[in-house]
Amino acid sequence: MNAVANMFGMKTRQVDCAKHGLQFEYFAGGKWRGCDACNQDKIADDNKKRQQEVLAERAAAYDARIGLPSAFADQSIKTFVPTNQKQAVVVARLVDYVSNDLKSLQTAKNIIFMGATGGGKTHLASAVLRMQAAAYRHARYITSAQAVAAVRQTWGRNDVSESGVFHDLAHEDLLLIDEVGQRDSGENAQEILSQLIDMRYKRAPTIITTNLTKDQLIKHLGDRAFDRLNENLILINCDWGSYRQAQAAKNLEEL
């Protein structure tokens, strides 16, 4: 830096910096600027801080795009505290899934979280989506009922199309279909869900959460759709009781 200063006729002098020892100081803007090493450290720190801010802003934008309901918008893998060995194994596998499996969308496994209400299925599935978003990769949350309704709402309209809805959902890098089997029955419901799963087949992984048993889920989705999921699947039986009740017991203030 001193050679550059001399080249451009800048005034310099030596200073004894408490942090860096003997350093050069430059005269600019009508005043001496202090230890050049300290100034360079500050520039590096400011750049690092700004880079972190940009990354945080980008992560927040991806986070918002996921569409998670407010109850799960702040949930992460860290906020799911395992209470038994099986939960610990599941958490470790999900972290590995995001870090490694999702590097190749076409070969990444589908995931089905199955079990009774309160077992933490949506919490864990949402955490996977948020980890995916943190890596700046597209992820999307939608309930099964919302997916069915989104397609039905295009019928008889000219401004939106059924194929457009299917295309958008089918091309997400990771899609979570929550609450399969809840409020998603009726006209063409099975056909809609089956077509969506079929369009994502060998394109990108799908995550499903359901209170249904395996046999009930097969009946609900149809053999073809379930076979497509089952061909490359992680099936997580959340049979550890109500995680929500266990957490509530820890937070209970009883007088």
Side-chain angles (χ1 to χ4, degrees), residues 39-68:
N39 292 334
Q40 294 303 317
D41 285 350
K42 185 178 186 307
I43 291 172
D45 288 343
D46 289 346
N47 287 339
K48 183 178 180 180
K49 181 180 179 182
R50 180 53 190 155
Q51 184 181 33
Q52 290 173 337
E53 289 173 349
V54 170
L55 292 176
E57 290 168 1
R58 191 183 302 172
Y62 269 69
D63 225 16
R65 184 187 179 281
I66 294 173
L68 288 171

Side-chain angles (χ1 to χ4, degrees), residues 91 147 150 172 226 254:
V91 167
E172 291 290 346
F226 186 83
E254 189 171 358

Side-chain angles (χ1 to χ4, degrees), residues 229-250:
L229 292 170
N230 192 55
E231 184 175 313
N232 194 26
L233 179 66
I234 301 172
L235 179 60
I236 301 176
N237 288 301
C238 303
D239 53 3
W240 45 64
S242 177
Y243 178 84
R244 189 178 300 132
Q245 289 181 13
Q247 291 302 108
K250 291 181 180 180

Side-chain angles (χ1 to χ4, degrees), residues 87-223:
Q87 288 179 352
V89 170
V90 168
V91 167
R93 179 64 181 98
L94 294 178
V95 171
D96 177 72
Y97 177 80
V98 176
S99 299
N100 296 303
D101 295 47
L102 289 179
K103 288 180 179 178
S104 174
L105 295 178
Q106 291 183 332
T107 60
K109 292 179 180 292
N110 304 302
I111 303 178
I112 296 178
F113 292 91
M114 188 175 292
T117 300
K121 300 183 299 297
T122 301
H123 183 151
L124 289 168
S126 299
V128 173
L129 260 64
R130 295 193 69 216
M131 286 189 285
Q132 170 83 345
Y136 315 121
R137 297 178 296 210
H138 286 178
R140 174 84 178 273
Y141 169 96
I142 194 168
T143 67
S144 186
Q146 288 170 340
V148 170
V151 172
R152 286 174 175 165
Q153 287 166 7
T154 67
W155 296 345
R157 294 175 57 178
N158 296 321
D159 55 330
V160 289
S161 68
E162 178 180 308
S163 61
V165 173
F166 277 120
H167 179 275
D168 290 346
L169 294 176
H171 285 77
E172 291 290 346
D173 291 347
L174 183 63
L175 180 67
L176 164 57
I177 308 176
D178 197 20
E179 300 178 344
V180 171
Q182 297 184 45
R183 299 179 296 279
D184 59 355
S185 58
E187 185 182 6
N188 296 100
Q190 185 182 93
E191 181 182 340
I192 291 169
L193 294 174
S194 179
Q195 183 172 340
L196 176 56
I197 291 168
D198 188 61
M199 290 178 70
R200 293 183 59 78
Y201 177 61
K202 291 190 176 180
R203 176 193 298 275
T206 303
I207 298 178
I208 281 176
T209 73
T210 184
N211 294 344
L212 302 176
T213 65
K214 184 176 180 179
D215 288 343
Q216 289 171 334
L217 182 62
I218 293 171
K219 182 176 180 180
H220 188 78
L221 294 177
D223 291 337

Side-chain angles (χ1 to χ4, degrees), residues 15-27:
V15 293
D16 189 8
C17 174
K19 180 179 180 182
H20 297 102
L22 199 61
Q23 295 290 326
F24 283 102
E25 178 182 20
Y26 300 94
F27 187 83

